[in-house]
Amino acid sequence: MAEAAGRRDWRAAASKFTQSMSDKTLQFSKSINDHVDRELVADTPAHRRLQPLNFLTGRSRSFNNTEKVEWAIGAVYPVVEGRLYFTCSNQALRDKEEGLQMFTSKLPAQYYPFCADYGPVNLAVIFRFVELIDKVLQESKRKQCFRSSQNMAIRTNGAFLMAAYLIIRHDASPEQAWAPFARIEPTPFTTYRDATYAKADFPLSVLDCLHGL
């Protein structure tokens, strides 16, 4: 009886201590994040800070289109209907239709692995990618198509960046941002993994990462 009571007391004390440390950790993490956010804003020139845009206002988006489309290398998939598209090819593609202009970037490949991991890319890359899309869309009224690599890891990072752009610039939910890519079957995208060389046993989807963003 006394031994059982002692175990209960020990568990209660351990639980109380764990909860206390968890609360302190959350408070510390929040204070650090707030400090980092203030430093990022302070260190970023005003002209480099992401500002609200109006040049895409009123354009239809592919958030609610759930019709499945077939995957193919070089096929063009709408992200912002009539304005922004996505394709995968290791070779430069000719414009597939009048008014469509291709562009590409090495940003989806800018991930430095710890072990066998390959993404997702960090916030700095996301920031630069949003700047890139802003610039491309502001400089031309033609339909723009982002060409990503055929490499599965890199094209997954490319799709993640495009979806992140929708969250940041179009105020899309994670599900809405991923909808243009979830339509593609069979999926050409992979899941992320932990930073080890061991067999991955916890696949992290792009949608999971978008929820984190």
Side-chain angles (χ1 to χ4, degrees):
M1 293 286 291
E3 183 178 351
R7 284 199 297 269
R8 286 196 298 270
D9 291 343
W10 181 86
R11 288 172 182 167
S15 177
K16 184 177 181 180
F17 174 78
T18 301
Q19 184 62 48
S20 174
M21 292 302 295
S22 177
D23 292 342
K24 291 179 180 178
T25 300
L26 287 173
Q27 292 174 1
F28 177 75
S29 177
K30 185 178 185 303
S31 66
I32 290 295
N33 288 335
D34 290 344
H35 173 74
V36 170
D37 288 343
R38 289 194 300 271
E39 290 296 316
L40 283 173
V41 171
D43 292 342
T44 304
H47 70 280
R48 289 290 307 280
R49 299 174 193 168
L50 294 180
Q51 303 294 333
L53 298 183
N54 56 17
F55 59 85
L56 286 177
T57 300
R59 293 198 176 269
S60 60
R61 296 167 291 187
S62 305
F63 296 166
N64 299 319
N65 189 348
T66 58
E67 182 182 354
K68 299 301 182 181
V69 291
E70 185 179 357
W71 162 249
I73 296 294
V76 174
Y77 303 96
V79 178
V80 178
E81 192 69 52
R83 195 70 174 101
L84 185 62
Y85 295 79
F86 178 85
T87 190
C88 291
S89 177
N90 288 342
Q91 299 178 344
L93 300 175
R94 293 183 178 180
D95 294 355
K96 288 183 172 294
E97 57 179 288
E98 185 178 355
L100 183 65
Q101 184 175 10
M102 297 285 176
F103 72 100
T104 190
S105 169
K106 295 181 180 179
L107 289 173
Q110 290 189 2
Y111 179 84
Y112 302 99
F114 294 92
C115 297
D117 49 313
Y118 39 78
V121 294
N122 61 36
L123 290 174
V125 174
I126 294 173
F127 181 91
R128 291 171 60 192
F129 189 81
V130 172
E131 283 194 320
L132 171 66
I133 300 295
D134 286 350
K135 181 180 179 181
V136 168
L137 294 179
Q138 286 174 323
E139 289 181 347
S140 174
K141 293 183 179 181
R142 296 177 63 187
K143 298 176 184 178
Q144 300 294 325
C145 183
F146 175 70
R147 178 173 64 85
S148 188
S149 169
Q150 290 179 212
N151 177 279
M152 181 174 283
I154 297 177
R155 74 176 174 230
T156 299
N157 284 339
F160 167 71
L161 285 168
M162 293 287 280
Y165 166 80
L166 293 180
I167 290 177
I168 294 170
R169 280 306 192 203
H170 290 265
D171 197 28
S173 69
E175 288 77 13
Q176 289 175 328
W178 188 239
F181 306 96
R183 301 171 54 215
I184 305 173
E185 289 188 344
T187 180
F189 310 111
T190 188
T191 54
Y192 296 115
R193 54 158 297 145
D194 55 350
T196 68
Y197 289 113
K199 181 180 179 180
D201 58 1
F202 184 80
L204 189 69
S205 70
V206 174
L207 183 58
D208 291 330
C209 297
L210 295 173
H211 275 284
L213 181 63

